[in-house]
């Protein structure tokens, strides 16, 4: 049995689908029992911020697909070990490599990796770069009209399809990838304007791209997230501490097929934009 956390999210839902599609038994950790899950998963209620709530979820589990950044990761991992879980496949991110404890995003990913390394469980770390699904943040604008105003317009990112992260996760959960750190990217690096152009072609719409200035980007970020995260993303994308442009080969090497393109992601999710 595999336990998938974040099963209602962009990556977790794809992990559930990948495992269920391969005929593996899958349990999805959810915070509310009535949420929609991909077919094939049994739901179990629990909260990652409350390790005591995970008793039922951990029973009979061989491996966990685990998200980073929760309150007591060492405590939660201790419970997993007590429950005879063997392996953790942790979703962190590229900024874990920076181990920058002054950057809130890098810090939570670094701490999560550290807790897993120290847990005594087998582990595989997945460090994806920005997700292709971040384009869903443009949905409200696309419902209003044909102009997409995007943050950090000059930042080039080898964005990755969550389905590829999930494909790697499913293989790692099956074993044989212990102690490996995978840098997960798409096949090419794109600017936001290039993503919007592809999206327009896929949707059959003439989309106009407008890059936000640094000041506009900061104002938008400040309206949507706590200050420490604003500073973290500023550090990554304006100061330039995080390289998300380099294309890595870990997706094709682990899955045995090419990493999915942004066009493939957009085509698969076109209905969400209509
Ligand atoms: N977006 C990027 O570009 C990017 C890049 C690198 C790494 N990452 C990392 O990837 C992670 C997952 O991204 P995503 O897009 O798949 O996330 P997402 O779509 O926002 O989903 C988050 C998932 O976590 C669950 N969750 C939140 N708090 C929880 C808690 N206390 N206990 C149990 N479950 C909880 C949510 O469940 P509910 O349905 O109950 O809310 C949801 O299923 C991010 O959090 C980030 O750390 C993201």
């Amino acid at each position: 049995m595999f336990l998938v956390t974040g099963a209602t999210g962009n990556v977790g839902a794809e992990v559930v689908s990948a495992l269920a599609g391969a005929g593996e038994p899958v349990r999805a950790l959810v915070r509310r029992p009535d949420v929609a899950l991909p077919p094939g998963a049994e739901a179990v209620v629990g909260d990652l911020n409350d390790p005591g709530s995970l008793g039922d979820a951990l029973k009979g589990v061989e491996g966990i697909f685990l998200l980073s950044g929760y309150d007591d990761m060492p405590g939660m991992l201790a419970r997993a070990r007590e429950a005879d879980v063997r392996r953790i496949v942790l979703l962190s991110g590229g900024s874990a490599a920076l181990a920058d404890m002054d950057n809130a995003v890098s810090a939570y990913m670094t701490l999560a990796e550290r807790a897993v390394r120290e847990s005594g469980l087998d582990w595989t770390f997945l460090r994806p770069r920005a997700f292709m699904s971040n384009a869903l943040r443009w949905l409200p604008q696309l419902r209003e009209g044909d102009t997409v105003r995007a943050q950090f317009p000059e930042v080039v990112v080898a964005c990755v399809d969550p389905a590829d992260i999930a494909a790697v996760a499913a293989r790692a959960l099956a074993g044989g990838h212990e102690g490996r750190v995978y840098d997960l990217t798409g096949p090419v690096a794109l600017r936001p304007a290039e993503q919007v152009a592809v999206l327009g072609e896929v949707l059959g719409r003439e989309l106009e791209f407008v890059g936000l200035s640094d000041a506009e980007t900061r104002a938008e970020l400040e309206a949507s997230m706590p200050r420490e995260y604003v500073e973290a993303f500023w550090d990554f994308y304006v100061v330039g501490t995080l390289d998300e442009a380099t294309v890595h080969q870990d997706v094709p090497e682990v899955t045995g097929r090419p990493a999915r393109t942004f066009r493939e992601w957009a085509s698969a999710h076109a209905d969400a934009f209509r």
Side-chain angles (χ1 to χ4, degrees):
M1 173 66 75
F2 296 111
L3 177 67
V4 177
T5 69
T8 56
N10 292 302
V11 181
E14 297 280 6
V15 177
V16 169
S17 299
L19 290 169
E24 299 287 353
V26 192
R27 188 177 291 156
L29 185 76
V30 293
R31 287 189 288 181
R32 291 183 21 224
D34 55 339
V35 293
L37 286 173
E42 70 177 50
V44 61
V45 175
D47 189 320
L48 286 169
N49 282 327
D50 175 10
S53 72
L54 301 177
D56 288 345
L58 293 170
K59 273 186 203 141
V61 166
E62 177 186 342
I64 306 178
F65 173 76
L66 184 60
L67 303 191
S68 294
Y70 294 93
D71 288 348
D72 178 14
M73 297 210 59
M76 195 248 296
L77 290 158
R79 291 197 182 241
R81 199 170 167 177
E82 281 161 27
D84 289 330
V85 172
R86 284 178 56 193
R87 95 177 45 93
I88 302 292
V89 175
L90 182 76
L91 180 68
S92 63
S95 71
L98 304 174
D100 179 355
M101 302 312 282
D102 295 326
N103 178 296
V105 174
S106 177
Y108 85 72
M109 291 179 174
T110 302
L111 289 174
E113 289 194 359
R114 188 179 298 163
V116 173
R117 278 182 205 275
E118 292 174 355
S119 70
L121 296 160
D122 288 340
W123 54 263
T124 307
F125 295 159
L126 310 184
R127 292 179 176 172
R129 304 315 194 256
F131 299 170
M132 291 178 181
S133 51
N134 292 349
L136 292 167
R137 294 174 190 159
W138 297 328
L139 258 180
Q141 302 186 61
L142 289 167
R143 289 200 184 105
E144 292 291 310
D146 290 325
T147 302
V148 175
R149 295 164 56 81
Q151 301 168 356
F152 304 121
E154 297 308 323
V155 176
V156 186
V157 173
C159 52
V160 58
D161 188 330
D164 277 344
I165 304 170
V168 173
R171 283 167 174 79
L173 282 166
H177 298 264
E178 290 76 12
R180 302 297 305 271
V181 178
Y182 290 126
D183 292 299
L184 306 180
T185 70
V188 291
L190 298 171
R191 287 196 163 72
E194 294 170 304
Q195 292 189 22
V196 170
V198 171
L199 198 52
E201 284 167 26
V202 168
L203 299 177
R205 286 170 65 178
E206 289 268 323
L207 299 180
E208 183 198 6
F209 178 84
V210 177
L212 295 178
S213 67
D214 279 357
E216 290 167 327
T217 296
R218 185 174 260 280
E220 265 199 15
L221 292 176
E222 284 176 354
S224 67
M225 61 180 71
R227 186 79 186 211
E228 57 179 352
Y229 290 109
V230 176
E231 300 305 339
F233 290 112
W234 202 258
D235 230 37
F236 292 156
Y237 296 135
V238 179
V239 180
T241 56
L242 184 64
D243 166 27
E244 296 210 294
T246 302
V247 172
H248 293 267
Q249 296 306 320
D250 293 2
V251 168
E253 282 173 14
V254 174
T255 64
R257 56 161 177 76
R260 286 160 59 101
T261 63
F262 185 74
R263 186 177 298 275
E264 287 174 293
W265 177 86
S267 301
H269 294 83
D271 284 351
F273 289 94
R274 292 196 170 110

